[in-house]
Amino acid sequence: MENIYNSLKNAFQNLIKENKENKTLIPFFLLLVTIPFPFAVNNIALGIFIISAIINFKKHQGSVTKLLVLPIILYLLMVVSCIWSIDKNESFKALSKEIPLLLIPVFFMLKKPFTKNQKKRIIEFYSHSMVLLAIFFLIRAVVRYFISNDSRVFFYHGEDYVDYGLVPKLLNAIHVSVFVAVAFFYFFSKEKKSFLDKAFALILFGFLLLLSSKNIVITVVLLVLIYIFFFSKSGYRMRLRNIIVLGLIVALGLSIGKIKQRFEVEFSSNTKRSLSADVVNGIPQGVHYVSIKEAWTNETFTPNDYFPGTAFRVYQLRIFKEFLSENNIFFTGFGLNASYPMIYNKAVFYNLYMGNDGYQDKNFHNQYIQIFAELGVFGFLIIIIMLIYNLKNAIKSKDFVFFAFAFLMISLFLTESFLWRQRGVVFFTAFYCLFNSGYLHIKEPKQNE
């Protein structure tokens, strides 16, 4: 415990030292670290960052970074989409949730740029904060287990009305997995790891397994292999040893009952298992589990049909294809957050289960489809360009944490409408701005200066 305290103390002292050179450093760090907190707390942190950027702008002339203009253009497209939206009330309401796409890059460009070392300090302390978050929820789970004797407290998330999971439903286990994964790769990719670095990486990896987000765990394992083969400076024998150790860890993780259940694949007909997260929980016995083929081809369903996560996403892709052919939305989309009435109508048409927490209220669970359906091809192209340049700069920088973030976002957007959630849009926009705002082009001061 004393070693953990000293590690956090040293990280905080480094943060304070760097903040003297750039007064927006701690406010930006607060913006990142409060993402898992209640929305009001994170909004206050965003306000503090904006105020610090305005004050700092008086001392330093801001500069425009081309890649940071893209999220601003995306937000402006969201605003314009309210004109043709089929549900103007929902579109206008969603603008406030998406406003970090505008505010964070605008004030990021106004403030004094972060140096490479300052960015490292932000990532360092953010990663330590995620360790504290993981420890808090692990202790919480142990305490709740002794109270309830319910093993579900160690896995995934619960429901809005029954909080039985490792993290609350409002936080969302998949989203927390992304927050934690970035921190894990900070410790995992350090060239010289202390005992605490290894311990923190192990805690975060274990926490990721318990969160049971299959897509994120698979992506993290793939990133670990990419690091070993393409980024690590260790020799081939070390790489082989690391692969063996990693394989044993993953095999052990997958052998644990509830985690193993979440990884069993649904490609055979009518299996109840899924590669991606389910969207409806608490399914009673005797339901019919829809296969991927059925989700794509069935002319109708029954309220007794249950869609595992992957099958439901295939169904959502299917109805998006139908929307494109039945509606003139290729260039405009339905409007920001305005696809829900159309999704509801399809649920009625196909006779899906429409009870409490039914399929009629679910979004596309795919950011690429979601943005195409609501903002048209131009919104889709903007996000694709952002992701491509994000990955390109990550490879160019040779910064593995940056690369992990870029890779995670591409993967996550396949199974989640991440930017349509407040925590998601803040997380993505903040890290996108942090990583893509030019430390590659900023000359670092020499040590003796």
Side-chain angles (χ1 to χ4, degrees):
M1 186 62 69
E2 182 179 353
N3 289 335
I4 295 176
Y5 169 77
N6 289 332
S7 177
L8 292 172
K9 180 181 178 181
N10 290 335
F12 187 70
Q13 288 174 342
N14 290 332
L15 198 67
I16 294 292
K17 180 180 177 181
E18 293 295 338
N19 191 68
K20 293 179 181 179
E21 300 296 326
N22 191 327
K23 299 299 183 182
T24 61
L25 190 144
I26 287 182
F28 186 77
F29 159 73
L30 290 175
L31 175 65
L32 292 178
V33 79
T34 57
I35 290 174
F37 285 45
F39 296 135
V41 177
N42 190 238
N43 288 338
I44 292 171
L46 177 58
I48 293 172
F49 169 68
I50 290 172
I51 293 171
S52 68
I54 293 172
I55 295 173
N56 189 63
F57 178 66
K58 298 177 181 178
K59 302 176 182 178
H60 174 83
Q61 188 69 27
S63 59
V64 175
T65 303
K66 292 180 180 179
L67 289 182
L68 269 58
V69 173
L70 289 174
I72 298 173
I73 296 174
L74 182 60
Y75 184 77
L76 294 178
L77 180 59
M78 292 177 177
V79 174
V80 174
S81 76
C82 294
I83 298 173
W84 58 74
S85 172
I86 64 171
D87 191 341
K88 289 182 170 55
N89 183 49
E90 286 299 317
S91 294
F92 280 115
K93 283 167 55 178
L95 288 177
S96 61
K97 179 178 62 180
E98 301 296 334
I99 203 167
L101 283 168
L102 172 68
L103 296 180
I104 294 176
V106 165
F107 289 98
F108 208 96
M109 288 187 287
L110 286 180
K111 71 172 188 60
K112 181 180 179 180
F114 292 136
T115 64
K116 183 176 181 179
N117 196 55
Q118 288 166 353
K119 292 188 177 189
K120 286 183 177 179
R121 295 306 179 197
I122 291 172
I123 299 298
E124 175 189 9
F125 208 68
Y126 167 82
S127 300
H128 281 86
S129 73
M130 289 300 104
V131 172
L132 292 178
L133 183 79
I135 292 173
F136 168 78
F137 279 113
L138 289 171
I139 293 175
R140 175 179 179 265
V142 171
V143 172
R144 297 174 76 206
Y145 177 75
F146 281 114
I147 294 173
S148 65
N149 199 32
D150 186 347
S151 61
R152 292 181 300 174
V153 299
F154 291 107
F155 304 95
Y156 204 53
H157 59 234
E159 292 301 307
D160 294 328
Y161 47 89
V162 184
D163 180 16
Y164 55 76
L166 181 59
V167 298
K169 175 67 178 293
L170 185 61
L171 272 182
N172 192 305
I174 299 171
H175 296 180
V176 175
S177 296
V178 178
F179 306 157
V180 169
V182 172
F184 164 74
F185 282 111
Y186 166 76
F187 295 109
F188 179 79
S189 63
K190 290 183 72 172
E191 292 183 14
K192 296 182 179 179
K193 300 181 184 67
S194 66
F195 172 79
L196 275 181
D197 292 331
K198 297 175 182 177
F200 290 160
L202 185 61
I203 289 171
L204 293 175
F205 186 76
F207 190 59
L208 279 170
L209 288 178
L210 294 176
L211 286 169
S212 309
S213 172
K214 290 160 286 187
N215 177 29
I216 301 303
V217 172
I218 291 172
T219 304
V220 166
V221 171
L222 180 58
L223 282 167
V224 167
L225 294 175
I226 290 174
Y227 176 80
I228 292 171
F229 282 111
F230 299 104
F231 285 82
S232 175
K233 294 183 178 180
S234 60
Y236 286 102
R237 291 183 180 179
M238 291 287 288
R239 293 179 187 179
L240 180 60
R241 186 204 67 179
N242 290 340
I243 292 173
I244 294 173
V245 171
L246 175 64
L248 291 174
I249 292 174
V250 173
L252 177 62
L254 297 183
S255 67
I256 300 174
K258 287 186 176 293
I259 298 174
K260 182 179 179 180
Q261 289 176 13
R262 295 196 62 84
F263 273 92
E264 293 179 354
V265 185
E266 70 171 35
F267 288 125
S268 60
S269 291
N270 309 117
T271 177
K272 62 183 179 180
R273 304 304 178 198
S274 173
L275 277 174
S276 51
D278 297 335
V279 295
V280 174
N281 294 306
I283 301 300
Q285 296 292 325
V287 299
H288 170 78
Y289 289 89
V290 178
S291 69
I292 291 176
K293 180 180 179 181
E294 290 171 339
W296 185 257
T297 61
N298 275 16
E299 294 184 3
T300 188
F301 299 92
T302 73
N304 194 52
D305 287 331
Y306 168 64
F307 290 79
T310 307
F312 184 68
R313 286 164 174 83
V314 170
Y315 162 80
Q316 293 283 56
L317 177 61
R318 172 186 179 179
I319 65 172
F320 168 67
K321 179 176 176 289
E322 293 174 3
F323 289 153
L324 283 178
S325 62
E326 298 168 358
N327 303 272
N328 188 22
I329 62 167
F330 182 82
F331 292 105
T332 62
F334 292 120
L336 176 64
N337 216 41
S339 61
Y340 290 97
M342 305 303 294
I343 293 173
Y344 180 92
N345 292 338
K346 284 292 182 181
V348 173
F349 177 80
Y350 282 115
N351 196 31
L352 269 59
Y353 168 71
M354 297 180 65
N356 292 331
D357 195 36
Y359 296 112
Q360 75 279 5
D361 297 323
K362 306 301 180 185
N363 64 28
F364 283 103
H365 286 76
N366 182 306
Q367 189 62 66
Y368 306 108
I369 295 176
Q370 190 85 41
I371 205 165
F372 205 135
E374 297 185 358
L375 300 179
V377 67
F378 297 111
F380 174 76
L381 289 176
I382 290 171
I383 198 68
I384 292 297
I385 292 170
M386 289 173 65
L387 292 175
I388 289 174
Y389 275 97
N390 193 44
L391 182 62
K392 179 181 177 182
N393 284 347
I395 296 171
K396 183 179 178 181
S397 72
K398 298 181 181 180
D399 180 344
F400 193 77
V401 179
F402 184 3
F403 179 81
F405 165 75
F407 199 92
L408 279 164
M409 291 300 99
I410 292 171
S411 174
L412 179 68
F413 285 4
L414 289 170
T415 60
E416 296 295 316
S417 297
F418 191 59
L419 300 184
W420 266 230
R421 294 289 179 261
Q422 184 169 331
R423 288 188 177 89
V425 71
V426 173
F427 177 86
F428 174 79
T429 310
F431 272 105
Y432 175 86
C433 291
L434 178 67
F435 285 126
N436 288 287
S437 58
Y439 74 66
L440 291 172
H441 311 294
I442 297 174
K443 184 177 180 181
E444 295 292 322
K446 296 180 179 180
Q447 295 296 324
N448 59 355
E449 289 184 349

